[in-house]
């Protein structure tokens, strides 16, 4: 997966990658050249007192050093550019994919892990890409070139290379192998922590209301401690890593000076060659260390890449039709034909054999106890879910054959749990129709009985709305959502219990205003209050996912036992109140 991702998402940045290769090649060769120049100055310049030679070679050395610095900077610059662009594209890919998910697909993963995958996991892969670009060329060349150059300086000391490199690889490799499983579990712990945190922030009111803070704090504490423990274990190994590497480097240095010193004493080796050999050995060991670090990042990044790949590979369960049908007319006629529906994974259908028609200009009301399947029924029309059997038709065309945009243009839903986005009032109202004029917004607000309180908010249309719309009351949120639906001027309105948070008087005023506004539209209302639905053209009584009776208020009052019960219970409830 890692390779696939890198290949797919780095393709557009091939010129950058090529630049990185060229610059790093240049910088590595320059870096390898420097110690040998240094040695020449000492052995041929200083020892013979040849000032001219010192100046000339010193100048050359300065030039090479400048080239080395400049090319290294350029290499890192293009490497970062490529890696960051790669990360950005990958993140965008994950975001687009998740945006195309149906409610069901999101449930398969769960929101917290989708968030981690789109942020932290992408970052890990991006990091590997960055490190890879910075070291992939330099490390092997430095290693092989360093060995070659070191041996050129002195063959007799070569055994120091053959000993110190494997020792370093063994020590670092051992630590890396112990680190790998820890990194893997770290990613899972981050997921878990995100999950707990998210749930608690969203449910903070409930937590307060039930005085569950201590319990929730404990739950968070446990997740937090798990992550800390893993991080500590990783830290403990890292603490070992640096002294161990330092130790090997210092012992190697001492050995070079000791054995090399003896050879210099004996006159078999020059001082300059000795310093150059030492520098090459250190360069080799550094390169080996970097290579091992890189190797260590690969498993972690590949775990992350797999997790990202899982998201990218999902085929959205609700797909756009291959050959979308354009309906002959766009009046907003809704028909359910023998529709059954079950939530994914559930055995019992929540809706069975639902058939009804709603003509433009008509109002169809759905009433039924909680859990009867009212919300589920509405969700089928904008195709949030697909039916198990039967068909949902909009203007005579099955919704599964319509383009999504075509449906949303004609159908507006006011969800049962009204949701507003962070931003301003107008930003929310223009959600379905960005080009709407201010007058249109005010008109919608007036119909929705929301104009008064929006006017009273500081800033009117430009007033701030907090994320989720938490800074307005439930009833205000409902009315803003109704206004949002009105702005799009759809052919079909779906109101899911949208008047429940309003007092009876506001409810009545709103419905009167709506009636005028929606005269030509098809209206499907889910209502709990009999008063809300009494004047509908057709009332469907839903019980356990089946339509048990249908008719007008008067007809039902006469013959439907279930309906009578509902009416009576509300009358008694009102009497009690
Ligand atoms: N259900 C489910 N998975 C979901 C949503 C609902 O399994 N994501 C189940 C729970 C209910 C049944 O489906 O038993 C019907 O749920 P609805 O939300 O459609 O019920 P209502 O809208 O009629 O209930 P309420 O009046 O409480 O809104
Ligand atoms: Mg509902």
């Amino acid at each position: 997966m890692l390779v696939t991702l890198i290949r797919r998402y780095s393709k557009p940045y091939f010129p950058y990658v090529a630049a990185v290769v060229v610059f790093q090649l240049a910088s590595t060769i320059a870096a390898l050249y420097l110690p040998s120049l240094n040695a020449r100055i000492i052995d041929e310049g200083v020892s013979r007192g040849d000032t001219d030679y010192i100046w000339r070679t010193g100048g050359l050395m300065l030039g090479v050093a400048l080239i080395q610095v400049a090319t290294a900077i350029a290499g890192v610059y293009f490497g970062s550019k490529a890696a960051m662009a790669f990360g950005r594209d990958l993140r965008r890919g994950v975001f687009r994919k998740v945006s195309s998910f149906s409610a069901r697909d999101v449930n398969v993963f769960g929101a917290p892990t989708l968030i981690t995958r789109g942020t932290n996991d992408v970052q890990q892969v991006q990091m590997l890409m960055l490190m890879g670009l910075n070291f992939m060329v330099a490390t092997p060349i430095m290693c092989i070139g360093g060995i070659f150059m070191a041996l050129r300086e002195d063959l007799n000391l070569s055994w120091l290379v053959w000993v110190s490199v494997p020792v370093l690889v063994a020590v670092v490799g051992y630590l890396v192998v112990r680190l790998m499983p820890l990194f893997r579990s770290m990613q899972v712990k981050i997921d878990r922590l995100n999950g707990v945190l998210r749930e608690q922030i969203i449910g903070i009111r409930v937590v307060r209301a039930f005085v569950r803070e201590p319990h929730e704090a404990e739950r968070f504490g446990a997740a937090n401690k798990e992550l800390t423990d893993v991080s500590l274990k990783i830290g403990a190994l890292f603490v070992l890593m640096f002294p161990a590497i330092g130790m090997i480097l210092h012992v190697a240095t001492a050995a070079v000076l000791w054995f090399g010193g003896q050879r210099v004493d004996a006159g078999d080796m020059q001082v300059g060659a000795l310093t150059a050999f030492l520098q090459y050995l250190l360069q080799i060991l550094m390169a080996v260390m970097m290579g091992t670090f890189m190797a260590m990042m690969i498993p972690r990044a590949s775990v992350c890449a797999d997790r990202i790949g899982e998201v990218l590979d999902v085929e959205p369960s609700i797909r756009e039709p291959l050959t979308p049908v354009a309906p002959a007319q766009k009046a907003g006629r809704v028909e359910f034909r023998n529709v059954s529906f079950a939530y994914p994974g559930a055995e019992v259908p929540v809706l069975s054999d639902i058939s009804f028609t709603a003509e433009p200009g008509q109002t169809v009301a759905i009433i039924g106890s909680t859990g009867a399947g009212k919300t589920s029924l509405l969700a089928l029309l904008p195709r949030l879910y697909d039916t198990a059997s039967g068909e949902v038709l909009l203007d005579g065309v099955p919704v599964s054959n319509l383009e999504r945009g075509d449906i949303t243009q004609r159908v507006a839903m006011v969800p049962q749990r009204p949701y507003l986005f962070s931003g301003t009032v107008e930003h929310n109202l223009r959600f379905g129709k960005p080009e709407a004029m201010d007058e249109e917004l005010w008109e919608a607000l007036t119909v929705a009985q929301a104009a008064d309180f929006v006017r009273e908010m500081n800033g009117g249309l430009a007033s701030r709305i907090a994320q989720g719309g938490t800074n307005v009351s439930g009833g205000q949120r409902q009315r803003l959502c109704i206004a949002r639906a009105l702005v799009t001027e759809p052919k079909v309105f779906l109101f899911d219990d949208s008047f429940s948070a309003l007092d009876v008087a506001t409810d009545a005023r709103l419905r009167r205003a709506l009636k005028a506004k929606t005269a030509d539209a098809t209206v499907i209302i889910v209502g709990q209050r009999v008063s809300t639905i009494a004047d509908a053209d057709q009332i469907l009584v839903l019980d356990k996912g089946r339509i048990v009776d249908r008719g007008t208020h008067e007809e039902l009052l006469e013959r439907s036992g279930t309906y009578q019960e509902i009416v009576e219970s509300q009358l008694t409830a009102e009497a009690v109140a």
Side-chain angles (χ1 to χ4, degrees):
M1 196 68 227
L2 185 64
V3 178
T4 327
L5 280 187
I6 290 183
R7 207 181 288 155
R8 183 172 347 145
Y9 282 89
S10 61
K11 207 177 247 163
Y13 306 108
F14 183 74
Y16 289 154
V17 176
V20 172
V21 172
V22 170
F23 283 123
Q24 283 205 358
L25 208 61
S27 123
T28 316
I29 291 173
L32 282 172
Y33 192 32
L34 283 174
S36 119
L37 282 177
N38 191 13
R40 297 296 87 75
I41 291 181
I42 296 173
D43 293 343
E44 272 146 55
V46 179
S47 56
R48 290 191 202 139
D50 185 345
T51 324
D52 212 35
Y53 183 86
I54 296 178
W55 275 112
R56 245 183 308 122
T57 318
L60 179 63
M61 217 175 138
L62 191 65
V64 173
L66 283 178
I67 291 175
Q68 198 259 326
V69 170
T71 47
I73 291 175
V76 171
Y77 174 77
F78 285 108
S80 311
K81 251 185 124 105
M84 296 307 138
F86 164 85
R88 177 196 60 203
D89 292 357
L90 190 55
R91 247 189 315 271
R92 182 168 52 199
V94 173
F95 176 75
R96 290 225 174 119
K97 193 60 172 200
V98 173
S99 307
S100 77
F101 277 11
S102 67
R104 164 192 184 164
D105 301 326
V106 172
N107 285 342
V108 170
F109 288 95
T113 183
L114 285 177
I115 294 174
T116 322
R117 286 170 204 229
T119 51
N120 190 298
D121 286 351
V122 171
Q123 204 180 338
Q124 296 301 332
V125 180
Q126 184 179 24
M127 187 79 116
L128 176 75
M129 182 83 178
L130 183 67
M131 296 282 280
L133 283 172
N134 281 338
F135 296 116
M136 95 194 144
V137 187
T139 307
I141 296 180
M142 194 64 121
C143 213
I144 296 166
I147 292 175
F148 178 76
M149 295 297 275
L151 298 190
R152 231 180 53 146
E153 296 297 338
D154 195 274
L155 262 178
N156 273 299
L157 289 179
S158 64
W159 64 272
L160 282 169
V161 175
W162 309 134
V163 171
S164 58
V165 169
V167 169
L168 185 70
V169 170
V171 170
V172 177
Y174 168 75
L175 292 174
V176 166
V177 168
R178 297 227 5 220
L179 277 168
M180 247 145 49
L182 292 176
F183 277 136
R184 211 166 297 217
S185 83
M186 188 164 178
Q187 227 53 26
V188 178
K189 306 273 193 259
I190 292 177
D191 260 359
R192 199 168 301 159
L193 191 74
N194 269 354
V196 175
L197 197 59
R198 197 186 120 91
E199 200 170 83
Q200 287 176 8
I201 292 173
I202 291 178
I204 188 80
R205 283 161 185 247
V206 184
V207 172
R208 290 267 156 74
F210 287 88
V211 202
R212 293 293 279 175
E213 285 102 331
H215 174 257
E216 290 299 312
E218 214 170 90
R219 220 156 65 92
F220 179 80
N224 197 4
K225 186 172 179 311
E226 277 179 20
L227 181 62
T228 313
D229 287 348
V230 174
S231 312
L232 273 178
K233 276 187 201 154
I234 292 176
L237 285 177
F238 261 108
V239 162
L240 279 181
M241 177 99 73
F242 290 105
I245 292 170
M247 175 95 157
I248 293 169
L249 293 187
H250 295 314
V251 170
T253 308
V256 169
L257 291 177
W258 175 263
F259 293 105
Q262 286 178 353
R263 283 177 55 75
V264 171
D265 259 355
D268 295 336
M269 191 182 184
Q270 286 184 296
V271 178
L274 178 63
T275 54
F277 186 90
L278 181 59
Q279 281 171 2
Y280 283 127
L281 184 63
L282 293 181
Q283 277 184 345
I284 297 164
L285 292 179
M286 280 303 200
V288 168
M289 193 178 78
M290 282 306 173
T292 328
F293 272 143
M294 278 262 336
M296 166 178 78
M297 291 192 67
I298 292 173
R300 186 176 186 193
S302 80
V303 171
C304 294
D306 288 345
R307 285 159 47 103
I308 296 168
E310 280 169 19
V311 176
L312 292 177
D313 283 346
V314 172
E315 279 293 330
S317 58
I318 293 190
R319 254 174 289 169
E320 290 269 326
L322 289 178
T323 46
V325 178
Q329 40 149 358
K330 302 195 171 184
R333 184 173 184 276
V334 175
E335 184 178 353
F336 276 58
R337 236 181 246 165
N338 308 322
V339 170
S340 297
F341 169 67
Y343 280 101
E347 280 165 23
V348 206
V350 283
L351 295 172
S352 338
D353 204 22
I354 303 286
S355 299
F356 71 92
T357 317
E359 302 285 349
Q362 272 192 349
T363 299
V364 172
I366 303 172
I367 194 166
S369 51
T370 55
K374 306 180 295 291
T375 300
S376 314
L377 192 154
L378 291 191
L380 298 178
L381 188 59
R383 224 186 149 206
L384 301 182
Y385 292 97
D386 273 336
T387 59
S389 69
E391 268 178 323
V392 178
L393 303 117
L394 180 59
D395 289 319
V397 181
V399 284
S400 52
N401 291 347
L402 290 170
E403 265 178 32
R404 179 171 291 274
D406 197 14
I407 303 176
T408 49
Q409 190 203 345
R410 266 180 290 163
V411 179
M413 169 139 99
V414 181
Q416 185 167 19
R417 273 184 295 175
Y419 191 86
L420 296 173
F421 289 86
S422 56
T424 60
V425 171
E426 57 183 323
H427 162 92
N428 271 286
L429 292 180
R430 288 208 174 93
F431 207 68
K433 189 180 178 190
E435 73 281 4
M437 313 279 276
D438 278 6
E439 293 77 58
E440 295 175 67
L441 302 188
W442 281 115
E443 195 195 326
L445 286 171
T446 312
V447 173
Q449 310 296 313
D452 289 343
F453 78 81
V454 169
R455 223 171 268 131
E456 277 162 29
M457 289 170 85
N458 303 329
L461 285 179
S463 313
R464 304 293 313 167
I465 295 288
Q467 188 183 14
T470 44
N471 64 337
V472 291
S473 81
Q476 290 172 335
R477 215 179 305 151
Q478 269 192 341
R479 280 178 280 168
L480 286 176
C481 287
I482 294 173
R484 176 173 67 192
L486 284 167
V487 169
T488 59
E489 297 186 316
K491 301 287 183 221
V492 183
F493 284 95
L494 306 177
F495 295 109
D496 191 353
D497 219 359
S498 307
F499 314 104
S500 59
L502 308 181
D503 58 85
V504 179
T506 313
D507 178 9
R509 250 184 293 134
L510 201 163
R511 273 183 301 113
R512 215 173 307 130
L514 261 183
K515 195 147 207 154
K517 179 88 182 177
T518 62
D520 303 326
T522 312
V523 180
I524 302 182
I525 295 185
V526 167
Q528 297 287 1
R529 265 189 231 139
V530 174
S531 61
T532 310
I533 60 159
D535 53 357
D537 298 290
Q538 184 177 205
I539 298 172
L540 310 176
V541 183
L542 205 63
D543 188 32
K544 298 200 185 79
R546 288 178 185 281
I547 298 181
V548 292
D549 213 337
R550 64 179 81 201
T552 61
H553 177 65
E554 287 74 24
E555 289 166 7
L556 288 174
L557 211 50
E558 218 160 273
R559 62 156 193 264
S560 165
T562 322
Y563 192 71
Q564 282 165 4
E565 265 172 41
I566 295 171
V567 174
E568 257 163 46
S569 69
Q570 293 195 2
L571 287 178
T572 353
E574 264 166 44
V576 171

